[in-house]
Amino acid sequence: MTRTTPPPAPAAPSAPGTDRLMEHLAHAAACYYRSFAVVAAGQGLTLIQGKMLSLLGRPLPMRALAELLGCDASNVTGIVDRLEARGLVRREAAPADRRVKTVVLTPEGEEAVRRIRADIVAGLPGLEQLDDHDRRTLRDLLDRAFPHTTG
Amino acid sequence: MTRTTPPPAPAAPSAPGTDRLMEHLAHAAACYYRSFAVVAAGQGLTLIQGKMLSLLGRPLPMRALAELLGCDASNVTGIVDRLEARGLVRREAAPADRRVKTVVLTPEGEEAVRRIRADIVAGLPGLEQLDDHDRRTLRDLLDRAFPHTTG
DNA sequence: TATTGTTATACTCTATAACTATA
DNA sequence: TATAGTTATAGAGTATAACAATA
């Protein structure tokens, strides 16, 4: 993320089995992002452009996009510029605070998001192999391993 | 990935519950890579530099690194250049094929990998909350959802 | 002829710093 | 004073194309 992030706290000895679990997590994360990148490239989009579109289920200020993407606010300008030039998003003035610009998906942007979502699933055939019980179990374990921050 | 990758096959209708599972997978993958990037930045490394070091458990030709990282071979030159300039890897001539250069971790590089691994675990405290049974279950489900390619 | 690694090129992403216009 | 968005800048990642050395 930021290049000035202080080093994390020294690691404590980890529980047995952690190394193998980490390998599986690394593999799963790599597969997911590789599939996402391939799908985005299929529409002439970069990974980060596809991610931004996927975040725009509702209109969001530039600042909020920067936080959700985990990058500096100055980057959002260029990414939105390029998406706007392709007609996938548009900037709107926020009435409540005239400093704020809200980013909104265009109909073409919404269609791109639908295609991305569908193609991601199609690109990860292993997911379709899991039955309902396994899916619920996987969701539950992922949610405990990577809790959603409440704030 | 490559910008010329052909679009994926049209998506078939997905099973119910897939959308919510995809959200959890996206969140988990984002958390994992965010943690990885923070840990790498703590050592002055980029995400891709940290990933490359982590792949070098055994010496690998430049070409193999490109495939494992999912990027073009021409990029590997620069990434290895920067890691080599910092003394974390070194290039060795391959005796069997004089076209090939093999990339090897230096002792400093090995130490960097150890720190990365330990800090990643420390940066994902949710993982330590899982008991042995849950870890095995999560590993099994991830392995079925993202099978390791054989060959 | 094909393959490995490199170089040159152009574009995108990234953080930092400085700027403006609002609040 | 503080905040939202932009611009300028520099460095890193990325694909493409062309190249030298080797197979």
Side-chain angles (χ1 to χ4, degrees):
Chain A
M1 222 50 47
T2 69
R3 290 174 188 165
T4 54
T5 303
S14 55
T18 297
D19 282 357
R20 285 181 56 198
L21 177 54
M22 292 306 295
E23 282 176 30
H24 282 77
L25 284 171
H27 177 71
C31 286
Y32 178 82
Y33 272 115
R34 185 171 296 218
S35 180
F36 199 109
V38 167
V39 163
Q43 301 190 43
L45 297 168
T46 65
L47 176 61
I48 198 77
Q49 288 170 352
K51 275 181 79 173
M52 181 178 282
L53 291 182
S54 299
L55 290 172
L56 288 170
R58 64 182 193 284
L60 289 174
M62 310 278 286
R63 213 78 190 182
L65 283 169
E67 283 175 17
L68 289 170
L69 291 172
C71 70
D72 191 85
S74 62
N75 303 321
V76 176
T77 299
I79 300 170
V80 170
D81 279 350
R82 288 180 275 274
L83 290 175
E84 196 166 31
R86 296 196 35 188
L88 300 175
V89 305
R90 114 188 141 256
R91 277 179 245 236
E92 285 186 354
D97 186 335
R98 286 182 359 203
R99 293 173 302 180
V100 174
K101 292 177 188 172
T102 303
V103 183
V104 190
L105 281 183
T106 63
E108 292 81 4
E110 290 174 1
E111 176 59 23
V113 170
R114 279 192 289 271
R115 275 199 295 247
I116 288 174
R117 277 208 237 281
D119 289 349
I120 291 267
V121 175
L124 297 175
L127 285 179
E128 297 288 326
Q129 308 292 339
L130 301 182
D131 62 26
D132 283 356
H133 174 267
D134 286 338
R135 287 172 192 230
R136 275 192 297 272
T137 305
L138 180 53
R139 278 210 316 258
D140 171 66
L141 289 172
L142 288 176
D143 198 47
R144 283 199 274 152
F146 303 94
H148 287 65
T149 55
T150 58
Chain B
M1 225 48 47
T2 71
R3 290 175 190 166
T4 55
T5 303
S14 56
T18 298
D19 283 357
R20 285 180 56 198
L21 177 55
M22 291 306 296
E23 282 175 31
H24 283 77
L25 284 171
H27 177 72
C31 285
Y32 178 82
Y33 272 115
R34 186 170 296 219
S35 179
F36 199 109
V38 167
V39 162
Q43 301 190 44
L45 297 168
T46 66
L47 175 61
I48 198 77
Q49 287 170 354
K51 276 180 79 174
M52 181 178 281
L53 290 182
S54 300
L55 290 172
L56 287 169
R58 64 182 193 283
L60 289 173
M62 309 280 285
R63 213 76 190 183
L65 284 169
E67 284 174 17
L68 289 170
L69 292 172
C71 71
D72 191 85
S74 62
N75 302 322
V76 176
T77 299
I79 301 170
V80 170
D81 279 350
R82 288 180 275 275
L83 290 175
E84 196 166 31
R86 296 195 35 187
L88 300 175
V89 305
R90 106 185 150 261
R91 276 179 247 234
E92 285 187 355
D97 185 338
R98 284 177 7 198
R99 293 173 302 179
V100 173
K101 292 177 187 171
T102 302
V103 182
V104 189
L105 281 183
T106 64
E108 293 81 4
E110 289 173 2
E111 176 58 23
V113 170
R114 279 191 289 272
R115 274 199 296 247
I116 288 174
R117 278 208 236 279
D119 290 349
I120 291 267
V121 175
L124 297 175
L127 285 179
E128 296 289 327
Q129 308 293 338
L130 301 182
D131 62 27
D132 282 356
H133 174 266
D134 287 338
R135 287 172 192 230
R136 275 193 297 271
T137 305
L138 180 53
R139 277 209 317 257
D140 173 65
L141 289 172
L142 287 176
D143 198 46
R144 284 199 274 151
F146 302 95
H148 286 66
T149 55
T150 57

